[in-house]
């Protein structure tokens, strides 16, 4: 015990001086105990990641290392790693000599904007970030802990997929991750950041999470790669076209956010996180704002003036309505005929779903229905109220839509709205026709407070379509040169009678026709009224099935 208390003295230099007859004042130098030296050596080697040449190759591809990625994401000094020393137990196919501590993935907890999140970051410099048993165990343990602690899970993926040397064990590892992605869906937010290859069945973990981020030129996702595609179908395609970020952001809809660079990607992730609660048992984080609640919106008045067929970007309306003009759009490049994303109104987070007349006149189609339905299910799971802005001429017609299943996909939107038990406020801006009027959070589908601008046209169908059916004989019998004038007259009559908000308001299907410039104040006040809304079943979890 006495040894432990004494300061060890370095002998070498002092002994030499004594031998030379010099009077010495021995310096006290701490000798690092062997166990501590060994610990630090092991830690440093494990933290270094893969061999230097693999790190150099990673950099040469313009990629950050797994640790640098975490550093971009978390608040400085907040990361607590777990499982650094775990390594593979597989010895087959010469892999024993390649064992590296950590097994190709860093797992731990860090603060993002001051709030805890569980984070894993795959390390491509270690066996190509491939997923073996230990690698999978580290991720699943982290997910279990995150679900218990009720904090979000963020995965940074850069991997060659299932570790081939570990065979079915690695496939089982994926199975365990997919199982947890699903089990914890709708309980804690799950985010996937793809910053390298993500191939084969491995793509299904990100696809099961709530949001997928990709980086231009770095990220690839595909079930079968270009070579297999060529062998199977004869199609020649490169990695980027097959499964790059823009492909998944604009065509497949797998990707929700595209970044121009890795740092830009982590900035976007942090921005998204600032709108999300930690789990389904909490409210989303409110933020003080100096933006006046009663700020007038002249643009809303303008809507009443313009020709109902004139396109405009609904993003402008959302931008004007929201606190400090901040709107985080989700799925920006996919199904642009509907716009979804997060804003704050009077400080509270709100999920917005809005038809966008700038694309396909804002009509609903298969992709728009899927996009909106999934977003609604996410916000409903996480206690985020819903604002629906309606300007919809109906469903997009065509054989491709019918055969592609617009009935089945359109039904998902109806289901999602009807199922959602968070506060739901609807504002009809202009057109709300037919089945699409019902779908877009109409009163009888469960809308809590339904507003309309005076410019709204709420009807079974557009006036021009309606008169062609109602007055087909009169129009046919009219002289050719009189027909257009007759159509205009009949359409106006129909419009005056039906295509306005007043008949709907008289039936109670619109609660209030509001002063356009005061829309922001009305919406904030209405969401406050509904803040305490609780419905039986409101806290039953639905999960966020990938629609
Ligand atoms: C074991 C792997 C690996 C894997 C890469 N490596 N993928 N090791 N299992 N799946 C290793 C490489 O052997 C190499 O090791 C190192 O990682 C870096 O790989 P490179 O090929 O040098 O890198 P690069 O040229 O950038 O190419 C990256 C790549 C390529 C495109 C990802 O490695 C590749 O095609 N890998 C195989 C992809 C694949 O088919 N995966 C299985 C998918 S099936 P050394 O020792 O040379 O450094 C699957 C099923 C999942 O994942 C099912 C879940 C249900």
């Amino acid at each position: 015990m006495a040894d432990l208390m004494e300061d060890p003295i370095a002998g070498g230099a002092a002994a030499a001086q004594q031998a030379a007859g010099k009077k010495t004042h021995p310096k006290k130098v701490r000798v690092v105990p062997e166990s501590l030296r060994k610990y630090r050596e092991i830690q440093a080697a494990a933290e270094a990641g893969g061999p230097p040449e693999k790190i150099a190759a990673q950099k040469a591809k313009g990629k950050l290392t797994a640790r640098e990625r975490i550093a971009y994401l978390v608040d400085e000094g907040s990361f607590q790693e777990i499982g650094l020393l775990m390594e593979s137990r597989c010895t087959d196919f010469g892999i024993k000599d390649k064992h590296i501590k950590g097994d190709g993935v860093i797992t731990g907890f860090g603060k993002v904007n001051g709030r805890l999140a569980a984070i894993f970051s795959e390390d491509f410099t270690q066996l190509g970030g491939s997923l073996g048993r230990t690698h999978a165990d580290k991720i699943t343990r982290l997910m279990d802990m995150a679900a218990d602690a009720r904090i979000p899970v963020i995965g940074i993926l850069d991997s060659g997929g299932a570790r081939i040397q570990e065979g079915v064990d690695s496939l089982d590892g994926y199975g365990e991750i997919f199982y947890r992605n699903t089990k914890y869906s709708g309980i804690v937010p799950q985010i996937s950041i793809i910053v390298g290859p993500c191939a084969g069945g491995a793509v299904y973990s990100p696809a099961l999470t709530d949001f997928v981020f990709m980086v231009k030129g770095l990220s690839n996702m595909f079930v079968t790669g270009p070579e297999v595609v060529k062998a199977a179908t004869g199609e020649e395609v490169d990695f980027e076209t097959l499964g790059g970020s823009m492909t998944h952001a604009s065509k497949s809809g797998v990707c929700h956010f595209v970044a121009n660079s890795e740092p830009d990607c982590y900035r976007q992730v942090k921005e998204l996180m600032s709108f999300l609660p930690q789990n389904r048992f909490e409210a989303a984080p409110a933020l003080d704002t100096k933006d006046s609640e009663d700020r007038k919106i002249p643009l809303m008045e303008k809507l009443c003036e313009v020709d109902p067929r004139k396109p405009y970007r609904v993003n402008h309306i959302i931008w004007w309505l929201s606190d400090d003009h901040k709107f985080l759009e989700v799925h920006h490049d996919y199904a642009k005929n509907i716009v979804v994303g997060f804003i704050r109104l009077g400080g509270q987070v709100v999920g917005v779903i809005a038809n966008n007349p700038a694309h396909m006149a804002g009509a609903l189609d298969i992709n728009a229905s899927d996009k909106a339905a999934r977003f609604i299910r996410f916000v409903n799971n996480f206690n985020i109220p819903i604002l629906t802005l309606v300007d919809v001429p109906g469903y997009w017609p065509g054989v491709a839509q019918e055969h592609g299943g617009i009935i089945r996909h359109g039904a998902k939107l109806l289901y999602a709205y009807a199922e959602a038990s968070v506060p739901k406020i609807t504002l009809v801006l202009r057109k709300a026709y037919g089945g699409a009027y019902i779908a877009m959070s109409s009163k009888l589908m469960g809308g809590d407070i339904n507003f309309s601008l005076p410019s709204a046209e709420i009807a079974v169908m557009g006036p021009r379509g309606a008169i062609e059916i109602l007055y087909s004989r009169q129009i046919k019998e009219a002289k050719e040169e009189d027909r257009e004038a007759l159509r205009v007259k009949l359409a106006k009559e129909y419009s005056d009678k039906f295509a306005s908000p007043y008949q709907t308001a008289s039936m109670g299907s619109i609660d209030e026709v509001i002063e356009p410039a005061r829309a922001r104040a009305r919406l904030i006040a209405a969401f406050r009224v509904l803040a305490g809304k609780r419905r039986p079943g409101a806290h039953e979890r639905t999960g966020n099935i990938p629609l």
Side-chain angles (χ1 to χ4, degrees):
M1 194 63 198
D3 283 347
L4 259 183
M5 304 302 291
E6 278 168 17
D7 272 337
I9 297 168
Q17 285 180 340
Q18 267 171 359
K22 287 187 187 163
K23 202 174 174 195
T24 59
H25 298 283
K27 268 190 191 165
K28 290 184 177 179
V29 178
R30 294 190 74 90
V31 172
V32 178
E34 176 59 15
S35 62
L36 192 55
R37 191 195 56 71
K38 192 173 173 195
Y39 157 76
R40 287 179 182 158
E41 205 176 280
I42 291 172
Q43 287 286 116
E47 282 173 9
E53 66 276 14
K54 296 287 172 195
I55 296 173
Q58 176 86 347
K59 296 272 175 192
K61 287 179 201 150
K63 290 157 80 176
L64 296 172
T65 64
R67 236 164 249 287
E68 285 169 342
R69 288 165 172 164
I70 293 174
Y72 267 102
L73 199 56
V74 302
D75 303 347
E76 203 177 338
S78 72
F79 189 65
Q80 306 173 52
E81 187 161 358
I82 51 161
L84 171 68
L85 303 183
M86 286 175 76
E87 56 185 281
S88 172
R89 276 163 282 181
C90 174
T91 52
D92 295 327
F93 300 103
I95 200 175
K96 193 168 187 299
D97 308 328
K98 292 187 178 176
H99 284 180
I100 297 182
K101 295 208 183 299
D103 205 36
V105 64
I106 301 169
T107 48
F109 301 90
K111 285 189 175 168
V112 179
N113 307 323
R115 295 186 303 157
L116 274 171
I119 298 160
F120 68 88
S121 179
E122 292 185 316
D123 186 351
F124 195 82
T125 68
Q126 298 188 353
L127 296 165
S130 58
L131 185 135
R133 181 83 240 170
T134 303
H135 183 122
D137 285 349
K138 287 182 68 176
I139 294 174
T140 53
R141 279 187 193 185
L142 184 83
M143 293 173 82
D144 290 340
M145 288 171 73
D148 286 348
R150 298 181 176 179
I151 58 175
V153 181
I154 304 174
I156 304 173
L157 292 94
D158 184 4
S159 165
R163 187 172 300 154
I164 295 160
Q165 297 93 326
E166 296 201 27
V168 177
D169 226 7
S170 63
L171 296 184
D172 284 349
Y174 272 117
E176 292 194 40
I177 294 171
F178 301 166
Y179 177 72
R180 283 164 177 78
N181 286 136
T182 309
K183 189 169 152 191
Y184 303 140
S185 176
I187 295 177
V188 292
Q190 299 181 59
I191 292 171
S192 299
I193 304 167
I194 317 296
V195 275
C198 183
V203 295
Y204 286 113
S205 174
L208 287 163
T209 62
D210 299 305
F211 298 104
V212 174
F213 288 75
M214 293 178 84
V215 178
K216 277 186 191 159
L218 277 193
S219 321
N220 286 138
M221 294 178 79
F222 42 77
V223 175
T224 50
E227 282 180 21
V228 178
V229 169
K230 188 173 180 200
T233 70
E235 294 163 294
E236 290 199 26
V237 64
D238 58 51
F239 281 97
E240 196 62 19
T241 313
L242 182 66
S245 57
M246 285 317 291
T247 297
H248 286 305
S250 64
K251 289 187 163 69
S252 72
V254 168
C255 168
H256 300 85
F257 296 94
V258 176
N260 289 320
S261 66
E262 284 206 62
D264 177 41
C265 182
Y266 305 118
R267 185 198 56 74
Q268 289 191 36
V269 173
K270 285 164 104 162
E271 194 183 350
L272 171 65
M273 296 287 287
S274 73
F275 285 98
L276 307 185
Q278 292 287 82
N279 54 62
R280 71 181 308 274
F281 309 99
E282 279 183 9
L287 215 61
D288 282 343
T289 175
K290 292 202 166 53
D291 197 354
S292 163
E293 292 186 4
D294 202 16
R295 175 166 49 75
K296 305 280 180 296
I297 306 182
L299 187 71
M300 300 290 263
E301 267 184 18
K302 276 204 151 184
L303 261 187
C304 301
E305 291 167 19
V306 298
D307 176 349
R309 283 169 298 181
K310 194 172 172 190
Y312 64 91
R313 282 189 69 203
V314 78
N315 299 55
H316 294 304
I317 303 281
I318 299 170
W319 190 79
W320 275 102
L321 283 173
S322 53
D323 287 2
D324 307 304
H325 304 295
K326 281 203 181 122
F327 172 43
L328 178 64
E329 187 173 353
V330 176
H331 254 152
H332 169 78
D333 296 295
Y334 185 68
K336 291 182 170 194
N337 40 332
I338 205 154
V339 168
V340 303
F342 299 98
I343 61 170
R344 280 190 174 82
L345 280 176
Q348 304 297 325
V349 177
V350 169
V352 186
I353 297 100
N355 308 115
N356 184 19
H359 288 268
M360 299 164 62
L364 290 176
D365 68 347
I366 290 170
N367 292 346
S369 303
D370 284 357
K371 170 177 167 178
R374 184 142 204 255
F375 182 73
I376 291 163
R377 299 196 87 227
F378 175 82
V379 293
N380 184 50
N381 269 309
F382 290 100
N383 308 311
I384 297 174
I386 293 171
L387 171 65
T388 304
L389 300 175
V390 185
D391 193 344
V392 64
Y395 287 91
W396 191 255
V399 175
Q401 285 291 309
E402 297 292 342
H403 288 188
I406 183 61
I407 299 173
R408 186 162 54 83
H409 293 274
K412 295 179 197 172
L413 184 58
L414 296 171
Y415 196 104
Y417 265 126
E419 177 188 47
S421 55
V422 291
K424 288 179 282 189
I425 295 181
T426 304
L427 173 60
V428 183
L429 301 171
R430 236 172 31 167
K431 295 187 278 292
Y433 295 160
Y437 148 74
I438 306 170
M440 293 302 294
S441 201
S442 62
K443 188 89 184 156
L444 297 170
M445 281 291 292
D448 293 303
I449 300 179
N450 288 46
F451 292 126
S452 142
L453 297 188
S455 50
E457 293 183 353
I458 304 170
V460 175
M461 59 172 65
R464 297 290 288 212
I467 59 155
E468 294 295 338
I469 296 167
L470 291 176
Y471 303 107
S472 66
R473 196 170 44 79
Q474 288 95 318
I475 292 170
K476 245 187 240 153
E477 285 171 1
K479 284 189 203 152
E480 178 80 43
E481 60 271 26
D482 295 336
R483 272 190 203 148
E484 188 48 26
L486 179 63
R487 283 192 172 105
V488 170
K489 176 177 158 291
L490 292 172
K492 179 161 183 341
E493 277 171 19
Y494 180 89
S495 238
D496 290 345
K497 182 149 179 61
F498 295 114
S500 76
Y502 302 111
Q503 202 207 20
T504 323
S506 74
M507 292 153 38
S509 298
I510 287 292
D511 294 297
E512 281 287 303
V513 180
I514 62 170
E515 183 67 43
R518 294 210 58 236
R520 175 173 151 82
R522 288 302 299 259
L523 291 173
I524 291 173
F527 274 118
R528 293 236 166 91
V529 168
L530 296 170
K533 177 185 170 189
R534 298 285 178 273
R535 285 254 170 93
H539 289 282
E540 283 162 20
R541 165 180 167 261
T542 63
N544 188 22
I545 190 168
L547 297 175

